[in-house]
Amino acid sequence: MTTPFANVTHVILDLDGTLINTEQLVDEVVSAVLHKRGDFTASRVRKAMEQVRGMRPGDGTRAVMDILGIRDVSVEALLAETSALLDERWDEVSMMPGARRLLDHLHARGVKTALATSTPADFLAKKMASHDGWVERLSAIATGDEVTNGKPSPDIFALAARRLGVDPSACVVLEDTPLGVRAAKAAGAFAIAIPSIHDDFAAYEDAGADQTIRSLYDLEPERWGLPPFADRVDVRCVASGNDRFPAFESVLPLRPIIRLGGPVVRGFGRGSSTLGIPTANLDVAPIKKESDALAPGIYFGWAGLRGDERREDVVAPMVMSIGWNPFFENARKTVEPWLLRDFGKDGDFYGRELRLAVLGYVRPEANFASLEALVERIHRDADVARGALATEQFERGKDDPYLKFLDEELSG
Ligand code: ADP
Ligand code: RBF
Ligand code: MG
């Protein structure tokens, strides 16, 4: 048994970047508006935006204008400009990976939850218009317009706790921004940081986070005295002759499963050469929605690879990495499956269509002390994947028509 960090009874949730995936959209829209107001470098705007993440829209706009020295327009006018653009696009926003699972779990187990969002109530209604009723299942909502001071002030979390009828010390807060973590700690609550934007973890520690995790998939409610998730399954790993790892490992089945695909492109050119592990990279841009539905991390599933004049279509087990590869500090997100089959002389996939049915989550992306340790862990991931895909639950995933390009043949 792991020792709990705390014994809380209630959960307070930040909205943007924690439950719903708004941060990239807001960054994109606000940055574009800011760039029109001065000759700023992209990195200067990015840094300014970083400093205000988590603030109320008005506070954030004012702060960003101060940082960049924008004076030829009022805060209200700039806010109206960005709001109008965002209102056109809120329907693009989906939930963060693992958010639905968490809300369903807490609701099913009778744990009371509150939303503590910097968003004012009138913005919130527009933002949530395309979401199907989970907001109504929360016990309390505290919005940015209801408090005198926004995050990093503790007011919003104090208000949320009051509405839940408990002291903040009985609450754990889930937050994706350093300012939000700071606010939660100032209120006297526990705080779990879950960075939503590919980010430096140090800022969250500085803000006083009690724990930092890479996504909601890695949340362990029992660590906080809350009921544990019951949906992980233990799989017996296919022996790799490596006794440094236990025989069983738990994986998280994805509900729903995620399907994504596209032509195989060139990656960083180091999979085979540096690691001895070839990974068939997909272009992320055309599959942004599907890949954003997966938290950065390691997954398993089945791959369907389109044949050509010389080669047949194949379906093969796969283990894949999605994210920024902390060990190599990639600047862009990659989606890269390793197909767990030896293709020999047929192993050139470039340009061929690859389709993936992603069935389960194994672990978060990690950094490693050495290349050997990374390689060893990836081989272990493959053992976990083979073990999982041999169970009835996951084996049948290989019959997915999507992997066999049947949908295309049907539609002509
Ligand atoms: P890149 O950086 O271009 O992705 P890698 O060194 O990672 O190059 O090798 C990946 C390429 O190796 C794939 O695009 C594919 O053409 C080939 N390949 C051969 N066997 C496999 C396999 N089992 N899984 C993934 N890719 C493979
Ligand atoms: N890279 C990391 O930096 N950290 C990881 O935890 C990690 N896990 C991986 C797991 C699997 C199953 C695979 C196939 C790759 C993983 N990689 C990881 C990515 C690896 O760095 C990448 O394949 C190479 O950089 C080649 O592009
Ligand atoms: Mg690769």
Side-chain angles (χ1 to χ4, degrees):
M1 277 304 284
T2 43
T3 3
F5 299 129
N7 256 303
V8 306
T9 49
H10 292 67
V11 180
I12 302 180
L13 303 146
D14 167 56
L15 178 66
D16 292 271
T18 300
L19 293 178
I20 61 173
N21 195 351
T22 48
E23 298 301 276
Q24 293 175 53
L25 175 65
V26 172
D27 265 21
E28 179 194 325
V29 167
V30 177
S31 302
V33 167
L34 292 171
H35 276 296
K36 286 197 288 179
R37 295 284 164 183
D39 191 15
F40 312 116
T41 62
S43 99
R44 211 172 139 214
V45 168
R46 195 175 337 108
K47 287 210 183 85
M49 293 287 296
E50 229 163 70
Q51 287 180 56
V52 310
R53 290 185 52 234
M55 284 187 189
R56 294 184 293 194
D59 296 347
T61 304
R62 179 173 298 107
V64 122
M65 288 170 71
D66 280 349
I67 298 168
L68 295 174
I70 299 173
R71 288 185 199 88
D72 59 347
V73 59
S74 70
V75 173
E76 293 69 31
L78 205 69
L79 182 58
E81 189 179 342
T82 52
S83 304
L85 292 168
L86 284 168
D87 285 347
E88 301 280 303
R89 296 184 60 183
W90 289 130
D91 61 344
E92 289 172 28
V93 168
S94 20
M95 294 191 83
M96 290 299 285
R100 188 77 214 206
R101 167 181 181 245
L102 174 65
L103 291 169
D104 287 348
H105 171 68
L106 295 175
H107 184 71
R109 301 301 302 266
V111 176
K112 291 214 157 57
T113 52
L115 195 67
T117 175
S118 297
T119 304
D122 51 342
F123 283 36
L124 184 66
K126 289 187 229 165
K127 211 181 251 189
M128 300 311 294
S130 57
H131 284 257
D132 60 336
W134 57 263
V135 181
E136 284 75 60
R137 297 204 322 216
L138 303 163
S139 299
I141 298 181
T143 53
D145 53 317
E146 297 186 281
V147 288
T148 314
N149 299 300
K151 300 173 190 176
S153 150
D155 297 10
I156 192 93
F157 291 115
L159 178 62
R162 201 175 324 128
R163 290 200 173 143
L164 286 171
V166 294
D167 191 80
S169 63
C171 301
V172 65
V173 168
L174 270 56
E175 255 292 348
D176 72 308
T177 65
L179 290 181
V181 167
R182 214 172 276 284
K185 293 310 294 175
F190 292 93
I192 306 175
I194 312 145
S196 57
I197 297 246
H198 174 50
D199 224 345
D200 184 7
F201 277 28
Y204 296 87
E205 323 265 290
D206 292 347
D210 294 290
Q211 190 192 21
T212 303
I213 55 178
R214 286 186 188 256
S215 79
L216 289 175
Y217 293 151
D218 292 329
L219 184 71
E220 298 170 294
E222 64 276 21
R223 289 278 207 139
W224 305 90
L226 297 166
F229 284 113
D231 54 353
R232 283 194 159 258
V233 293
D234 278 336
V235 298
R236 179 192 286 279
C237 302
V238 169
S240 61
N242 187 341
D243 54 16
R244 301 215 310 118
F245 294 98
F248 285 88
E249 189 156 320
S250 89
V251 298
L252 173 63
L254 294 180
R255 297 194 180 93
I257 68 164
I258 303 293
R259 296 181 180 87
L260 42 81
V264 174
V265 299
R266 300 219 169 249
F268 295 95
R270 63 173 173 239
S272 320
S273 56
T274 314
L275 304 170
I277 297 167
T279 53
N281 295 51
L282 292 178
D283 186 358
V284 184
I287 49 170
K288 193 174 164 357
K289 198 168 179 78
E290 295 82 358
S291 60
D292 280 352
L294 299 166
I298 314 309
Y299 296 83
F300 64 86
W302 295 95
L305 182 64
R306 192 70 151 152
D308 55 17
E309 320 71 55
R310 297 188 295 114
R311 297 167 292 192
E312 302 273 283
D313 292 359
V314 272
V315 172
M318 63 91 183
V319 63
M320 75 167 199
S321 152
I322 171 162
W324 285 267
N325 303 168
F327 186 80
F328 294 102
E329 298 186 314
N330 290 351
R332 59 184 164 87
K333 189 172 176 177
T334 64
V335 173
E336 36 181 328
W338 176 23
L339 276 53
L340 301 175
R341 177 174 298 175
D342 184 2
F343 286 84
K345 61 175 174 38
D346 286 337
D348 179 350
F349 305 168
Y350 294 113
R352 289 165 72 186
E353 189 177 352
L354 179 65
R355 291 186 170 188
L356 308 173
V358 188
L359 306 185
Y361 168 76
V362 180
R363 66 169 176 95
E365 286 190 291
N367 205 341
F368 294 86
S370 66
L371 189 67
E372 292 68 44
L374 170 65
V375 169
E376 185 183 50
R377 180 63 232 203
I378 298 175
H379 281 282
R380 165 66 177 188
D381 295 330
D383 292 345
V384 175
R386 285 191 196 92
L389 294 169
T391 65
E392 201 204 325
Q393 177 179 9
F394 298 117
E395 205 252 350
R396 53 172 182 255
K398 73 170 189 293
D399 298 324
D400 193 327
Y402 174 72
L403 299 175
K404 299 173 180 171
F405 306 91
L406 291 177
D407 51 340
E408 261 178 18
E409 268 147 43
L410 285 177
S411 61

